Amino acid sequence: MQSQNRLFDDFVKVLNGAAGTVAGMGREAEAGFRERAREWVGGLDMVSRDEFEAVKAIAIAAREENMLLKARLDALEARNAPAEANVSAPL
């Protein structure tokens, strides 16, 4: 009976060692994959999130300024429209 328990104990130790090895291989493979992904993404010409947000904020501000300038131009054109009508009217 003693030999069966010892055989079973040795078998369990081997399985535990194999499970640890497989887990270590999994972690190593994951780390390798992450590193390769970082290298691949790093090689692309991509902007960071902060740079994207900064450019987006500038574009929004420029759009708002454009709308204000258009409104001013429309107001100036409306104010000058009657004067232009009097100048271009035939005598």
Side-chain angles (χ1 to χ4, degrees):
M1 193 78 154
Q2 181 72 15
S3 63
Q4 288 178 347
N5 285 339
R6 189 170 183 174
L7 180 64
F8 184 71
D9 289 342
D10 288 343
F11 183 68
V12 168
K13 286 179 185 178
V14 168
L15 287 180
N16 282 338
T21 302
V22 169
M25 288 172 41
R27 286 189 300 271
E28 197 170 316
E30 181 180 355
F33 176 76
R34 286 181 188 269
E35 183 60 31
R36 296 246 195 259
R38 279 192 197 105
E39 289 174 5
W40 181 74
V41 170
L44 298 176
D45 191 19
M46 300 182 80
V47 297
S48 69
R49 184 69 175 173
D50 293 337
E51 291 172 326
F52 174 78
E53 291 296 332
V55 170
K56 183 178 172 185
I58 291 169
I60 290 171
R63 188 179 305 128
E64 290 172 355
E65 183 180 5
N66 190 19
M67 290 170 54
L68 291 172
L69 290 172
K70 184 176 180 344
R72 280 183 63 193
L73 181 61
D74 289 344
L76 287 171
E77 287 177 345
R79 189 175 73 186
N80 289 334
E84 290 175 1
N86 290 336
V87 172
S88 64
L91 295 175

